[in-house]
Amino acid sequence: MGLPPALLRWLEPLAEEGEADSALRAAACWISDSGSRDHPEYRAEQAFLRLLRLHGVGLDHHARAYLALVAALRYEADPLAPFLAPARLLLSAATTRRAETLGAALRLGYTLSGGVPSLLEATHLERRGQRLVLRLDQGAGVFAGESVLRRLDALAVALGLEASLEVE
């Protein structure tokens, strides 16, 4: 089993969407590592442009813009970067917020797991009132260093929640 199915399960507690949005979340998980072979300095922009111009059955301009924005933010693009403007013009404010949240969640997921499904499965996200809780299974090899905490905070801010970490 690869990482996309594990990402889909891991993101489930954050899902507040309709069927069409759920399909886009699944697509975003499957393409979430599409920029991994690009140079880190240009990765976010190249992944964005590749997905924005993607040909695909069932993908309209809005879907491509959404997936491109998610990918760019997954690779930590500056949310105000000029190259993101075409996507932002096509998306509503609510859809843009969902893309920003999903991009931040994918960034956290990859930081936690390094792309290894078993490591991601040793972590759990959940909402508890006004808190976003990241639970780590003790002894599973997943660590909450500075980058994990920073990305957890970024995801919590995108959701309008307070970040919290627990080790079990």
Side-chain angles (χ1 to χ4, degrees), residues 2-3 33 109-120:
L3 191 62
D33 208 26
Y110 275 92
T111 301
L112 284 165
S113 70
V116 178
S118 61
L119 291 177
L120 186 66

Side-chain angles (χ1 to χ4, degrees), residues 80-160:
L80 302 175
F83 71 84
L84 298 176
R88 292 187 180 282
L89 289 172
L90 287 171
L91 302 175
S92 69
T95 302
T96 298
R97 278 191 305 278
R98 280 196 311 278
E100 290 169 346
T101 300
L102 183 52
L106 290 171
R107 183 70 178 168
L108 174 60
Y110 275 92
T111 301
L112 284 165
S113 70
V116 178
S118 61
L119 291 177
L120 186 66
E121 290 166 354
T123 71
H124 314 277
L125 281 176
E126 62 183 78
R127 292 177 193 243
R128 286 192 206 148
Q130 293 300 309
R131 291 187 315 143
L132 173 66
V133 179
L134 172 63
R135 290 184 296 119
L136 305 179
D137 294 347
Q138 190 167 9
V142 181
F143 303 98
E146 182 181 322
S147 61
V148 167
L149 296 175
R150 190 173 59 250
R151 290 178 179 132
L152 175 61
D153 284 339
L155 177 56
V157 166
L159 290 165

